[in-house]
Every structure is written in C-alpha cells, then in structure tokens.
Amino acid sequence: MTAMAPVRAEPDLSFLLDRTSHALRTRMAAALSEIGLTARMHCVLVHALEGERTQAQLAAIGDMDKTTMVVTVDALEKAGLAERRPSTADRRARIIAVTEAGSEVAERSQRIVDGVHSAALESLPATERAALVRALRNLTEGHLAETVEAPSAARRARQ
C-alpha cells in the first residue's frame, strides 16, 4: 500500500526562498569570480570601507564564523586588497583596512553585485519588483528578524 502525500495548506516558502537564494548566490559567485573575488571578499571590502571595523565585527555582518573570516581576510591581504591594522579606538583590537587597490576593486564588485540584483529584479514584471523587495524586507525586519535555537539536526545551507 502506498501512502498519500499530505495536502499542503500553504506554499512551500522554505523551498522557494532556498531555491531563489541558491540561484542568486551561484550567479553572484560566477559574476564576482571574473574579477577574482568571492561574495565574502566583496562583503568584507564593502563593509570595511564604511568605517573602522574589527575582523569580529565584519564576521558578524557577513554571517561568517571565525575560521572563514580569517581565510577571507588572508586572501584579501594576499591579493593586496586589505590589511590588518591596529585600531585607533582600541589598541588591543585589529581592524581590517582596505587598500587603495581594494577600494577600486570594491567599486567594481559593487557594480557587479548591483547588476546581478538588477537582472534578477528585471526578470519580474515592473509592478511586482517593489512589492517583492518590500515583502522580503518586512520578513527580515519583522517575523523572521531573529533566528531561533534549533535542534542540532537542523543545518544551515552551505555558502
């Protein structure tokens, strides 16, 4: 005897968001790879340019663990795009400073990121674009603003 699948009462929002996010991430990765960056490298450069930030602060902004952040900053340093420097506010802390070359690359990468986002939004009818962005913003700033503790079986998607 075969069991029947349960009837969905709501659309599979998890699938829709995961699938969209995955497709967007892979397009972003491909586009940024053309200038030798990853999305994480872009994130660190752009947010480090906004103000003096420590590695830990940038890791929190980019939702990276310490190991991933160290690897990312190491790659930026090796490429001559950023460097670790003592903080002017806290002599015990080290900040990530973007070099002149890094600043130029960040401008290029931001244009690339904007282009990927624009292409995704342009694939929708004009009347739906603002509504989608507004709805996603409402979710991320409202009901889904905070994550909840989950059992150890739940895992985040790889990035």
Side-chain angles (χ1 to χ4, degrees):
M1 177 185 319
T2 58
M4 293 189 53
V7 176
R8 290 187 195 274
E10 297 291 334
D12 190 345
L13 189 57
S14 295
F15 168 77
L16 294 171
L17 291 172
D18 284 346
R19 177 71 182 189
T20 303
S21 178
H22 176 73
L24 191 58
R25 277 195 318 273
T26 59
R27 288 172 190 244
M28 191 70 68
L32 287 171
S33 72
E34 293 180 13
I35 62 168
L37 286 188
T38 65
R40 289 180 176 127
M41 293 167 81
H42 165 77
C43 178
V44 170
L45 288 175
V46 168
H47 291 291
L49 282 167
E50 293 172 344
E52 187 173 291
R53 291 199 165 120
T54 65
Q55 201 166 284
Q57 290 169 324
L58 290 168
I61 290 168
D63 195 25
M64 291 179 248
D65 61 41
K66 289 179 184 180
T67 302
T68 302
M69 184 63 184
V70 168
V71 170
T72 301
V73 175
D74 286 349
L76 289 169
E77 280 190 314
K78 184 176 180 183
L81 303 177
E83 56 191 27
R84 293 171 174 96
R85 292 186 188 158
S87 169
T88 58
D90 179 354
R91 62 187 174 125
R92 297 168 296 165
R94 297 181 57 75
I95 62 153
I96 305 306
V98 179
T99 64
E100 188 174 322
S103 183
E104 292 170 10
V105 169
E107 285 185 36
R108 289 178 62 199
S109 67
Q110 189 60 60
R111 286 193 299 273
I112 290 168
V113 167
D114 289 345
V116 170
H117 291 159
S118 178
L121 289 172
E122 287 173 2
S123 71
L124 297 172
T127 57
E128 294 179 12
R129 295 174 196 161
L132 173 67
V133 172
R134 187 172 51 254
L136 291 172
R137 194 170 278 135
N138 287 341
L139 282 172
T140 60
E141 294 172 0
H143 183 72
L144 300 177
E146 299 295 326
T147 57
V148 296
E149 288 296 319
S152 60
R155 292 184 44 181
R156 288 183 53 211
R158 288 186 181 192
Q159 296 182 358

